[in-house]
Amino acid sequence: MPAPSAPVEETSTDAAIRRAGLRVTDTRRAVYDALRSLPHAPADALFERVKATVPATSVQSVYNALGDFVTTGIARRIEPAGHPGLFELRVDDNHHHVVCTACGRVEDIDCVVGQAPCLHPDETHGFRIHTAEVTFWGLCTSCADA
Amino acid sequence: MPAPSAPVEETSTDAAIRRAGLRVTDTRRAVYDALRSLPHAPADALFERVKATVPATSVQSVYNALGDFVTTGIARRIEPAGHPGLFELRVDDNHHHVVCTACGRVEDIDCVVGQAPCLHPDETHGFRIHTAEVTFWGLCTSCADA
DNA sequence: TTAGTTGCAAAGGCTTTGCACGCGC
DNA sequence: GCGCGTGCAAAGCCTTTGCAACTAA
């Protein structure tokens, strides 16, 4: 036996899917792994990736899996205006996104402040707010040079 | 002559359109007025409104007008994930949005802080940032009660 | 006049839905 | 074995594009 001296949190793909209450299937495993390789990928890019492992799959099945991931909370869908939906696994931490207005590239930005004041407005029109989402728009290095 | 004692800024619909460098047409005037009545409206709702004034118009013409407004900067398009694009006239001031996760209702939120620290991250992956967009997700009063 | 706009039609991209078969548990 | 998930097909929604006729400047 491997004698785990410290409590080893099982972080494999299978475990993550199972923890979400979903059955482990080839498609879901492949989609999850694809999300790990491609941090901010649109569905069709993920599909291309998944096809390499599970050739019989379809775009719709990838959408199914992504939908299940988003519903159960192990993935998140972001939708920068003017671009198709992108999917990512980072879901628990409070981070934001920069989107290149020219090429659509997306990068993560860690929030520099713990309790951002602008994320806790006092006038909320009575809304009970549970999430804040920040998107920065700008030019990435490649597009700024061009 | 009306003898304007103070310099009167002409703020009529026509003037706004003309100032954007666009020709004034019935369709554009109607779309602009519809935007004033419906602060965060999707294209089809605006179309319904416009049809009352200009029955011969079409959804595509409304899209044309909206596209022109957005391009010239007198309107802005926001796209809360999961909902069709919404259009609004408030464009010069720094304000954000609350979106109801249940019914999709959108309200404006004025930014309480002038220079929000979270909107000026130091690590930007080399992006030259020019805009920051904040979306709050929550439940509006009606949906929270239900 | 003449270039910018319209209205119509059609296509396009992204995503969801419905259903019979197959597989995870 | 039971039920969830897949794969296939088709439809759906929102939006953009192309083009001849029209009209604001």
Side-chain angles (χ1 to χ4, degrees):
Chain A
M1 70 152 45
S5 51
V8 174
E9 175 76 3
E10 196 192 349
T11 51
S12 77
T13 298
D14 287 19
I17 296 173
R18 216 180 300 275
R19 211 178 306 128
L22 298 171
R23 290 191 182 170
V24 177
T25 66
D26 287 349
T27 302
R28 283 181 178 157
R29 199 178 354 237
V31 170
Y32 194 91
D33 287 340
L35 278 170
R36 284 218 275 226
S37 317
L38 309 167
H40 305 103
D44 60 342
L46 293 167
F47 169 61
E48 288 304 322
R49 192 92 177 193
V50 168
K51 240 184 357 188
T53 316
V54 188
T57 203
S58 64
V59 196
Q60 294 86 333
S61 294
V62 173
Y63 271 106
N64 282 345
L66 290 170
D68 295 338
F69 289 173
V70 171
T71 305
T72 55
I74 59 175
R76 185 201 290 172
R77 176 188 181 151
I78 61 174
E79 202 161 344
H83 298 279
L86 305 178
F87 296 86
E88 64 175 3
L89 288 180
R90 288 187 67 180
V91 93
D92 45 341
D93 58 347
N94 136 307
H95 78 279
H96 307 309
H97 297 104
V98 234
V99 184
C100 179
T101 42
C103 70
R105 222 178 97 200
V106 177
E107 297 289 345
D108 287 333
I109 287 198
D110 290 302
C111 199
V112 287
V113 281
Q115 293 291 337
C118 58
L119 301 190
H120 296 86
D122 33 41
E123 177 46 55
T124 61
H125 295 269
F127 281 58
R128 193 176 312 162
I129 294 178
H130 54 69
T131 314
E133 185 185 345
V134 183
T135 306
F136 299 97
W137 297 90
L139 284 177
C140 72
T141 31
S142 328
C143 294
D145 292 345
Chain B
M1 68 148 77
S5 51
V8 175
E9 176 76 2
E10 196 192 348
T11 50
S12 76
T13 298
D14 287 19
I17 296 173
R18 215 180 301 275
R19 211 178 307 126
L22 298 170
R23 288 190 183 173
V24 176
T25 67
D26 287 348
T27 301
R28 283 181 181 156
R29 194 172 5 230
V31 170
Y32 193 91
D33 287 340
L35 277 171
R36 283 215 277 226
S37 316
L38 309 168
H40 304 104
D44 59 343
L46 293 167
F47 170 61
E48 287 305 321
R49 191 92 177 195
V50 167
K51 238 184 357 189
T53 317
V54 189
T57 202
S58 63
V59 197
Q60 294 86 335
S61 293
V62 173
Y63 271 108
N64 280 346
L66 289 171
D68 294 339
F69 289 172
V70 171
T71 305
T72 56
I74 59 176
R76 187 201 291 174
R77 176 187 182 151
I78 61 173
E79 202 162 342
H83 298 279
L86 306 178
F87 297 85
E88 66 175 3
L89 287 179
R90 288 185 68 181
V91 92
D92 44 343
D93 58 347
N94 137 306
H95 78 279
H96 308 308
H97 298 103
V98 236
V99 184
C100 178
T101 42
C103 70
R105 223 178 97 201
V106 177
E107 296 290 345
D108 287 333
I109 285 198
D110 291 302
C111 198
V112 285
V113 280
Q115 293 291 336
C118 59
L119 302 189
H120 296 85
D122 33 42
E123 177 46 55
T124 62
H125 294 270
F127 280 59
R128 193 178 311 163
I129 293 177
H130 54 69
T131 315
E133 185 186 347
V134 183
T135 307
F136 298 98
W137 297 90
L139 284 177
C140 72
T141 32
S142 329
C143 294
D145 290 346

